[in-house]
Amino acid sequence: MIEKIIENLERTNCAKDDVFIQAVNEVFRSLEPILNNDNRYEMYAILERLITPDRIIRFKVQWLDDNNKVRINNGYRIQFNNALGPYKGGLRFHSSVNSGILKFLAFEQIFKNSLTGLPIGGAKGGSDFDPKGKSDFEIMKFCHAFMRGLYPYIGARVDVPAGDIGVGTREIGYLFGEYKRMTHTYDGVLSGKPYAFGGSLMRPEATGYGVVYFASEMLKEEYGETLQGKTCCVSGAGNVALHTIEKLQHLGANVVTCSDSDGTIYDPNGIDLGLLKALKGDGRRLSLENYSTQRYGSIYTKKENYPFDAHAVWSYSCYAAFPCATQNELTFNDAHSLIGYGVRAVVEGANMPTTPEAITLFHSNNILFAPGKASNAGGVAVSEFEMSQNASMEKWEFEKVDRKLNEIMCQIYKRVALTAREYGRERNFVDGANIAAFKRLSEAMMLEGV
Ligand code: NDP
Ligand code: 2IT
């Protein structure tokens, strides 16, 4: 059955859908043990319905740059599935964005959101707008124009977008301002808002902190170990990477790497987070080369000086690796290198950063591997906390959000590990996550009827 559905998917989708097909393949391969035991999945065509988005919205975004030149971009929102609650998921602004990448992200999001146990469906959106080199005013004008295309399709009980690559608190603030002007309503239609108007404390930190909470629980349960004193490699230098590094450092780990699309920093004395934030925090995008000129003992490797299909950031000895930049950034060659250097655990902060071949290699070498849909779910979980706070007009303390985030990450780990064991896939957290998420989602779809 799975083969036929994938064949059909490959036939009906276009070349840029390769990452979407990769994500579907990964999920479906995990589901074999559960599909064989229950013919209701076939009767309700659950798999076919799961890979078909409810709605793909595409709109034109026209705006004026600082020279008053007219610029045009594509805007998208893919509302994939709302069986469990309002559509929920981030917006990505990056030159690589197209409908295939957003379909993969929205598809992953429905499983991630299911795993949280919270009442949220899955969606993703964004634009091929490239924020690099744009002035603050240009970012603002673009966000306003983007929202003018998006606002008819979203709502606090309909679809609640948030941030992703290229979209942080600043962009969400501009998007919210325009939504308010267009609709005359002041409600929680976006999450990740500035604290001044409805944002939750800890949403900026949530994804990265959640990744480390998940890792700590997994390492405690599986190895009886902690991150204290351990060497860790992190990739990326954006929202997720910065807060993953921050929490790892709180727990006494030594983080020795970070990276961006142009290169990698190796700092054996431990990343200087203050310096890194000065270069990359709050949407800043200064080159990491500046880090090496300002920090004695650190080494910068430019991307073009590194062999094809391998990445400098994974060429160092570490106990745990945290890919936190983008999809398919940790390849088979990288996995081989990490294993050679003695890595014990790989915990995804980004969405699908590890290629299928690399995951197989980790599994066959008994390396603990945590898939992003489980380990990076802390961001969307705190987004849902923000929706709750907005709906009840409450403001929760930092400590309360932090405690609830920690609890939810530990619960996700337990759900994933127990499900893997129950289906004879002990320590295979990819299968555990996919099966656990699928069970909750498919039950809801069957209860709602066709
Ligand atoms: P940011 O835009 O804040 O940071 C992205 C980082 O990744 C930047 O350092 C960027 O470098 C780097 N990067 C982007 N594309 C590439 C590339 N092709 N090669 C190498 N480096 C690259 O995004 P986030 O930190 O928010 O997102 C990172 C990942 O985490 C994404 O996969 C996202 O989907 C996922 N995620 C984000 C959540 C959130 O709450 N923000 C929640 C859950 C998952 P440069 O600036 O040079 O492009
Ligand atoms: O991939 C993700 O989970 C996000 N970008 C965050 C989504 C959200 O709604 O907070």
Side-chain angles (χ1 to χ4, degrees), residues 202-380:
M202 254 208 91
R203 177 61 188 89
E205 295 87 348
T207 309
Y209 281 22
V211 166
V212 181
Y213 292 152
F214 186 100
S216 301
E217 186 67 12
M218 178 179 82
L219 292 167
K220 182 181 84 185
E221 292 296 317
E222 304 294 336
Y223 292 155
E225 292 177 357
T226 70
L227 285 157
Q228 163 93 42
K230 304 290 196 311
T231 301
C232 297
C233 286
V234 174
S235 68
N239 171 278
V240 179
L242 289 175
H243 295 105
T244 298
I245 296 172
E246 186 164 86
K247 185 49 74 179
L248 283 169
Q249 293 184 343
H250 288 168
L251 298 184
N254 184 32
V255 183
V256 294
T257 62
C258 63
S259 64
D260 65 12
S261 26
D262 295 326
T264 293
I265 287 291
Y266 173 63
D267 188 345
N269 300 316
I271 293 291
D272 177 340
L273 194 57
L275 174 55
L276 188 60
K277 282 187 174 177
L279 299 171
K280 297 288 192 181
D282 301 322
R284 282 182 291 276
R285 288 194 168 73
L286 299 167
S287 166
L288 281 177
E289 204 159 7
N290 295 300
Y291 183 102
S292 61
T293 55
Q294 290 174 57
R295 174 88 168 161
Y296 180 74
S298 68
I299 298 167
Y300 178 70
T301 309
K302 231 175 152 38
K303 192 173 186 176
E304 66 238 34
N305 296 337
Y306 215 72
F308 183 62
D309 220 24
H311 303 83
V313 71
W314 310 127
S315 66
Y316 300 99
S317 170
C318 65
Y319 169 82
F322 295 83
C324 295
T326 193
Q327 61 271 9
N328 291 329
E329 54 153 323
L330 197 167
T331 60
F332 180 87
N333 292 342
D334 295 323
H336 200 263
S337 150
L338 282 169
I339 292 167
Y341 280 115
V343 76
R344 304 284 315 278
V346 178
V347 184
E348 292 188 331
N351 286 311
M352 210 171 74
T354 315
T355 64
E357 300 75 28
I359 297 176
T360 305
L361 195 59
F362 287 134
H363 279 152
S364 58
N365 282 273
N366 292 321
I367 312 295
L368 292 180
F369 176 79
K373 63 170 76 71
S375 47
N376 75 28
V380 77

Side-chain angles (χ1 to χ4, degrees), residues 88-90 109 112 124 160 162-164 191 203 351 376 379-380 383:
K88 183 83 200 82
Q109 196 81 42
K112 180 191 310 193
K124 204 84 186 192
V160 183
D164 194 80
S191 63
R203 177 61 188 89
N351 286 311
N376 75 28
V380 77
S383 275

Side-chain angles (χ1 to χ4, degrees), residues 110-125:
I110 60 178
F111 289 88
K112 180 191 310 193
N113 294 3
S114 171
L115 273 182
T116 63
L118 299 168
I120 39 181
K124 204 84 186 192

